[in-house]
Amino acid sequence: MILPLVLEMHDASMGQGDKVVFEHVDFGLANAEMCYMVGRSGSGKSTFLKTLYGSIPLLAGDIKIAGFDLGTIKRKDIPLLRRSLGMVFQDFHLFEKWTVFQNLEYVLKATEWKDKTERENRVEEVLAQVKLSNKSLQPIHKLSGGEQQKVVIARAILNKPTIIIADEPTGNLDAESSEEVMSMLYNLANENNAAILIATHDNQLIEKFPARIFKCENGNVIEL
């Protein structure tokens, strides 16, 4: 069975300003697939990801992601693109004085979930998925680093994205928390029917949770 592609790029060139980082890249990610992106610091992983979520414009070529065409997308439609993506970063970007529930409900309000009961039910659903149901009313600053990263993952899946983009999701975590977070991401690819693209330096986790691996090197993205 061939799964449909939710990320497809052909002959894509990416970079910032006058600096071209990648040229003529072909890449695809199927529905519910997980894959890794590796490469040395400065190899372009962040540029690749930033292009996917519209933080920097596509320079040339063709990229289609979650139903959006990055070659023709208008600036006003970038928030719509990001609602179709789940984003998990090394820096958590959470409101530390707010509770877990408040952080998650805020996202639903911002993405036009108008019904209070529906918001509450959705927050409860995602907290159950990341095994944090008992932390709903805890302020963020009282959580461990691993628990905060689970809140970030919960936030990423709130709007049932077709793709989750994770940039060094275990970079600030200890080994035990890193393994727990990776296991969670691995399972979510199936549970939520979402593709997951993970940029990481952690070879031990790649060995423990195998998936396709792509390397950024010398302006190319090469499958290993």
Side-chain angles (χ1 to χ4, degrees):
M1 177 180 173
I2 299 176
L3 295 172
L5 295 178
V6 290
L7 168 57
E8 188 172 6
M9 64 177 69
H10 301 287
D11 202 27
S13 295
M14 292 167 271
Q16 300 188 58
D18 296 329
K19 182 183 179 183
V20 178
V21 178
F22 296 108
E23 285 190 288
H24 311 302
V25 174
D26 294 312
F27 180 85
L29 186 61
N31 188 41
E33 178 185 12
M34 188 175 92
C35 76
Y36 296 105
M37 178 159 287
V38 301
R40 294 180 179 177
S41 294
S43 62
K45 297 190 301 296
S46 290
T47 295
F48 189 96
L49 299 184
K50 286 179 179 178
T51 303
L52 295 185
Y53 57 78
S55 181
I56 56 177
L58 174 65
L59 298 181
D62 181 48
I63 299 181
K64 293 182 174 63
I65 178 170
F68 291 83
D69 186 333
L70 297 187
T72 60
I73 192 169
K74 296 178 181 177
R75 181 168 292 277
K76 68 179 180 64
D77 291 329
I78 288 176
L80 293 175
L81 163 67
R82 291 177 181 168
R83 289 179 201 174
S84 299
L85 308 177
M87 292 182 281
V88 178
F89 299 108
Q90 181 176 348
D91 297 319
F92 304 140
H93 302 300
L94 295 166
F95 296 103
E96 292 195 356
K97 293 183 180 180
W98 290 12
T99 65
V100 170
F101 179 87
Q102 287 171 322
N103 269 271
L104 298 179
E105 188 187 33
Y106 173 80
V107 174
L108 294 178
K109 286 179 178 178
T111 50
E112 299 181 352
W113 287 59
K114 298 187 184 302
D115 186 276
K116 187 174 186 293
T117 301
E118 289 182 0
R119 291 198 304 267
E120 290 174 350
N121 289 341
R122 183 58 185 155
V123 169
E124 288 175 5
E125 286 174 2
V126 298
L127 286 179
Q129 282 191 282
V130 300
K131 299 177 174 60
L132 284 181
S133 294
N134 63 333
K135 300 290 184 178
S136 179
L137 300 181
Q138 283 275 7
I140 293 296
H141 67 84
K142 290 191 175 181
L143 303 182
S144 68
E147 287 171 337
Q148 289 187 41
Q149 189 61 292
K150 290 180 186 179
V151 176
V152 173
I153 293 170
R155 182 179 63 190
I157 63 174
L158 276 170
N159 281 303
K160 302 180 181 179
T162 52
I163 302 179
I164 295 172
I165 297 172
D167 190 0
E168 300 289 355
T170 61
N172 287 329
L173 305 179
D174 59 41
E176 184 178 351
S177 296
S178 294
E179 187 170 322
E180 191 175 4
V181 164
M182 279 300 305
S183 178
M184 190 165 290
L185 285 169
Y186 202 75
N187 291 331
L188 285 171
N190 290 321
E191 289 176 16
N192 292 273
N193 206 32
I196 302 182
L197 174 60
I198 301 174
T200 185
H201 286 100
D202 197 327
N203 290 325
Q204 288 184 335
L205 289 177
I206 292 174
E207 290 175 7
K208 192 169 184 65
F209 301 96
R212 284 203 301 162
I213 305 170
F214 294 86
K215 185 175 184 179
C216 298
E217 188 175 53
N218 300 323
N220 295 307
V221 178
I222 305 158
E223 184 169 5
L224 300 181

